[in-house]
């Protein structure tokens, strides 16, 4: 996860976002729950953000 964040920052991004159904895992790596997101096919999942 750290490598992905470092690469995103190196390429000028200030935030990294992800969608998942996992609860509690990504918070351990610094991600913050941002809310529910919806996929084009109608399913929902949790959206997390990490400030870089």
């Amino acid at each position: 996860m750290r490598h992905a964040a470092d690469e995103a920052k190196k390429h000028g991004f200030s935030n990294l976002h992800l969608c998942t159904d996992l609860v509690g895992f990504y918070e351990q790596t610094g991600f913050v729950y941002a809310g529910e997101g919806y996929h084009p096919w109608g399913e929902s999942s949790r959206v997390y953000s990490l400030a870089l």
Side-chain angles (χ1 to χ4, degrees):
M1 193 55 61
R2 187 73 255 158
H3 177 73
D6 290 343
E7 286 295 309
K9 186 174 183 176
K10 182 171 78 175
H11 290 284
F13 291 92
S14 58
N15 292 285
L16 190 60
H17 307 282
L18 62 85
C19 296
T20 184
D21 292 328
L22 295 176
V23 176
F25 178 77
Y26 289 102
E27 291 93 334
Q28 296 174 27
T29 62
F31 280 84
V32 176
Y33 175 68
E36 286 293 308
Y38 298 92
H39 300 283
W41 52 90
E43 293 179 16
S44 67
S45 64
R46 299 172 64 86
V47 177
Y48 288 88
S49 297
L50 176 69
L52 303 175

